Amino acid sequence: KQVFRELYVLTAAERQGGPASHRYDGHQLQPRQALALLGRRGWLASRESADASRVFHDHGLVAHVEFADGFLTPMEADLPTIGGVYFTRRGERLIQPLESIHPVVFSEAMRDLDLVVSIAHAGGVDPEATASTTEMRAALIRETARLLKLTNISQVGDHVLIDGTLGEYSIHLGSGTVHRRPGGAICIIPVGSQHRGRLFLPFADDDPKTAEIVSKTLLLARDREIKDPTILEQLRS
């Protein structure tokens, strides 16, 4: 398992974007499940806190993840939403540049958050409807692949599997997180609808997460056509 352990590397966008990583920004979580998962992974968090943290004793570093408007709002009216992820030295408050963080510490912190996002995701929908939502997304992707005659897309459980030219990928139908198989995570940050290009999905536009997942699937199914240097760097590394 250690040989095939997921690897999360710093992207060019994170190197240029300041001291915090924003790859998980906007993901909504089911609070009780997220707290349990974070606790099992060594993160300290409480229902009243606005962030969670994990100490990496061997490296003297602390990973922090912020939650917009706190982890739980009064009466649990709003779901906790992930904000920036940043690192400090143990016993200090000064945020350290991401490039100075030990690669193992960065990778393990992101691996923890990827797990939480994948399992405890809420995605802006009623948690009770999560199963039906992923089934709907899977059906939408199957029909889209059929219409576009894409034969390199399949589904296993809650993941879409893509056999691309540059590699094999999996996309979680709930959170939209992307992994290369085997191993590393791929950071693809969606662009808001106000910056939409020529690809328009009117049947999915009411649910931005569905549009994101379908778009990522189509992008990676035709990975040989990708021009974005930030994505290509990750696919070819």
Side-chain angles (χ1 to χ4, degrees), residues 6-197:
E6 297 91 340
L7 179 64
Y8 298 75
V9 298
L10 197 64
T11 66
E14 286 170 326
R15 292 191 187 96
Q16 300 168 5
S21 167
H22 298 284
R23 67 172 65 188
Y24 295 117
D25 278 18
H27 283 283
Q28 291 183 307
L29 306 176
Q30 299 179 39
R32 291 178 179 81
Q33 194 174 19
L35 276 175
L37 288 166
L38 288 168
R40 286 201 292 269
R41 302 294 300 173
W43 291 74
L44 298 177
S46 68
R47 295 167 61 87
E48 295 76 24
S49 65
D51 66 359
S53 62
R54 177 183 170 184
V55 179
F56 291 85
H57 296 277
D58 291 345
H59 299 278
L61 292 168
V62 183
H64 304 263
V65 55
E66 295 179 323
F67 296 100
D69 302 320
F71 197 85
L72 281 181
T73 57
M75 303 300 293
E76 301 185 18
D78 296 315
L79 296 169
T81 303
I82 292 181
V85 181
Y86 63 93
F87 298 82
T88 62
R89 296 200 178 280
R90 192 177 178 190
E92 300 179 6
R93 293 186 177 182
L94 182 64
I95 299 177
Q96 300 298 308
L98 289 176
E99 287 184 310
S100 71
I101 304 304
H102 193 283
V104 170
V105 173
F106 181 85
S107 182
E108 289 300 292
M110 293 299 172
R111 184 174 184 268
D112 288 348
L113 295 176
D114 192 7
L115 173 71
V116 173
V117 167
S118 296
I119 296 178
H121 66 91
V125 300
D126 183 345
E128 296 299 325
T130 298
S132 60
T133 300
T134 57
E135 290 171 4
M136 177 273 293
R137 290 171 180 167
L140 181 58
I141 288 172
R142 283 196 302 272
E143 287 305 305
T144 302
R146 183 181 65 81
L147 290 171
L148 297 178
K149 295 181 172 57
L150 297 173
T151 59
N152 58 342
I153 299 173
S154 60
Q155 179 194 354
V156 175
D158 289 335
H159 290 81
V160 175
L161 304 183
I162 303 163
D163 184 10
T165 301
L166 302 178
E168 297 180 359
Y169 320 99
S170 71
I171 303 176
H172 192 272
L173 284 167
S175 65
T177 54
V178 182
H179 289 86
R180 189 167 187 171
R181 305 177 69 214
I186 299 175
C187 181
I188 302 176
I189 300 176
V191 176
S193 59
Q194 67 271 26
H195 303 295
R196 185 187 294 116

Side-chain angles (χ1 to χ4, degrees), residues 183-216:
I186 299 175
C187 181
I188 302 176
I189 300 176
V191 176
S193 59
Q194 67 271 26
H195 303 295
R196 185 187 294 116
R198 294 182 179 180
L199 178 62
F200 176 55
L201 305 174
F203 47 79
D205 246 30
D206 287 341
D207 179 9
K209 182 58 66 176
T210 297
E212 174 191 336
I213 292 170
V214 174
S215 298
K216 286 179 176 178

